[in-house]
Amino acid sequence: MEYPNQSGFRQQPDVRMRGPPGDPRLLFEDTSAGGSTQEHSGVGKGPDVYPGQALLSDPVSNLAMAYGSSLASHGKEMMDKNLDRFVPISKLKYYFAVDTVYVGKKLGLLVFPYMHDNWEVSYQQDTPVAPRFDINAPDLYIPVMGFITYVLVAGLALGTQNRFSPEILGIQASSALVWLIIEVLAVLLSLYLVTVNTDLTTIDLVAFSGYKYVGMFVGVLAGLLFGRMGYYLSLLWCCVSIFVFTIRTMRLKILSEAAAEGRLVRGARNQLRMYLTMAIAAAQPVFMYWLTFHLVR
């Protein structure tokens, strides 16, 4: 508000400038927050107060958080327990306990099993040692990688023949997987009917049945590189190798009861065991040819 002085002129009010002259930002003092500019800049304040700090300091909130954490841990424990009933995670870890040396030696054994003498699995305190310590132990790493490689090579073969499509590749992969499941179920049923007391598990059967994927993708790859003649020669070699490998591996599992008792393989029951071992080994080349012959032209 302006007031006239004694000389009759209006006198402007005294306005103090906060800051250096010429700074238009500090012409007026901001008193909306009831503090000075120094308070707004954070100078002179105490410790920072976060928005959720007041909520966390509430005892009721702490109790709710503790209850929620306990409920989540209990739910995770129940889920792991129920999952382990159907999918034995702890047992699956054993079948993937491999290293590079084991994989190299095992692939060589699958392709050339004729010079290998000792086929027994090593045990340590009634427990089989991990595959990386014993080349005779079954694993799932090679079957899984062999299956994936087989599907990829099959897609490549279909692509070179202008027959590739996602649907056909999916049918190829699902067919190989379904035949593997049928084979394992048939072996389990046969073992039950013959009443074989063996330490073979379902995962062991999946592993032994999955080793044929190695010979399958080798045959298809040879067919891509060298034509049908290369396919037939390489597949024939792999079929004979997997037959010998399966015979020498499965006979120790299926005939283990008679071998443990020191009895010779005689009688109708033991003859059935021998025929079953031969049938499992003979089924491997049949599936290998059935799932690959249409991929090479």
Side-chain angles (χ1 to χ4, degrees):
M1 184 174 179
E2 299 179 354
Y3 300 94
N5 55 11
Q6 295 179 357
S7 60
F9 295 99
R10 297 175 181 263
Q11 183 178 3
Q12 297 292 337
D14 187 12
V15 179
R16 294 183 179 181
M17 299 178 60
R18 300 177 57 86
D23 189 356
R25 296 176 299 175
L26 302 177
L27 289 177
F28 301 96
E29 183 178 357
D30 185 7
T31 60
S32 59
S36 62
T37 307
Q38 294 180 353
E39 293 177 350
H40 286 287
S41 62
V43 180
K45 275 187 161 186
D48 295 335
V49 179
Y50 299 100
Q53 187 173 355
L55 180 63
L56 294 177
S57 61
D58 189 2
V60 178
S61 301
N62 294 333
L63 181 63
M65 292 184 62
Y67 178 76
S69 178
S70 175
L71 187 63
S73 61
H74 181 69
K76 182 179 181 299
E77 181 181 355
M78 292 295 296
M79 184 184 68
D80 294 340
K81 183 183 298 183
N82 292 328
L83 183 62
D84 192 66
R85 291 174 55 188
F86 301 99
V87 181
I89 303 297
S90 58
K91 294 182 179 179
L92 287 178
K93 292 180 180 179
Y94 164 82
Y95 292 92
F96 287 94
V98 300
D99 55 11
T100 307
V101 177
Y102 168 83
V103 172
K105 290 183 178 180
K106 193 75 170 192
L107 291 176
L109 183 62
L110 292 173
V111 177
F112 196 83
Y114 311 105
M115 302 301 294
H116 192 63
D117 296 329
N118 183 17
W119 293 86
E120 295 183 359
V121 178
S122 302
Y123 283 80
Q124 183 178 6
Q125 297 180 355
D126 297 334
T127 303
V129 299
R132 64 175 176 267
F133 301 120
D134 185 11
I135 192 175
N136 297 322
D139 71 284
L140 286 178
Y141 177 81
I142 293 178
V144 170
M145 297 306 297
F147 176 80
I148 295 175
T149 308
Y150 159 73
V151 174
L152 295 177
V153 174
L156 180 61
L158 293 173
T160 57
Q161 303 167 13
N162 296 325
R163 295 190 297 149
F164 176 81
S165 67
E167 292 79 11
I168 295 178
L169 187 62
I171 293 174
Q172 188 72 27
S174 59
S175 299
L177 189 60
V178 168
W179 280 114
L180 177 66
I181 296 174
I182 293 176
E183 179 186 354
V184 172
L185 292 178
V187 174
L188 288 174
L189 180 60
S190 301
L191 292 175
Y192 174 76
L193 294 177
V194 182
T195 62
V196 176
N197 295 325
T198 178
D199 57 351
L200 273 175
T201 63
T202 304
I203 304 179
D204 291 337
L205 294 176
V206 172
F208 289 126
S209 300
Y211 285 135
K212 61 176 170 286
Y213 292 123
V214 176
M216 290 167 59
F217 83 76
V218 169
V220 177
L221 185 61
L224 290 175
L225 297 176
F226 307 106
R228 296 188 66 87
M229 184 58 65
Y231 162 75
Y232 284 117
L233 290 178
S234 61
L235 187 67
L236 178 62
W237 177 272
C238 292
C239 286
V240 175
S241 298
I242 201 68
F243 178 81
V244 174
F245 173 83
T246 307
I247 283 286
R248 295 185 177 180
T249 303
M250 298 297 290
R251 71 176 182 179
L252 294 178
K253 299 292 185 179
I254 296 179
L255 302 176
S256 59
E257 181 182 4
E261 297 177 0
R263 294 185 286 106
L264 296 177
V265 182
R266 295 175 181 174
R269 185 176 179 183
N270 288 331
Q271 290 294 331
L272 287 177
R273 295 178 180 179
M274 289 186 61
Y275 293 150
L276 178 59
T277 304
M278 296 288 292
I280 295 173
Q284 307 306 311
V286 174
F287 285 117
M288 292 172 67
Y289 177 76
W290 176 256
L291 294 172
T292 58
F293 78 96
H294 61 282
L295 297 174
V296 180
R297 290 185 176 179

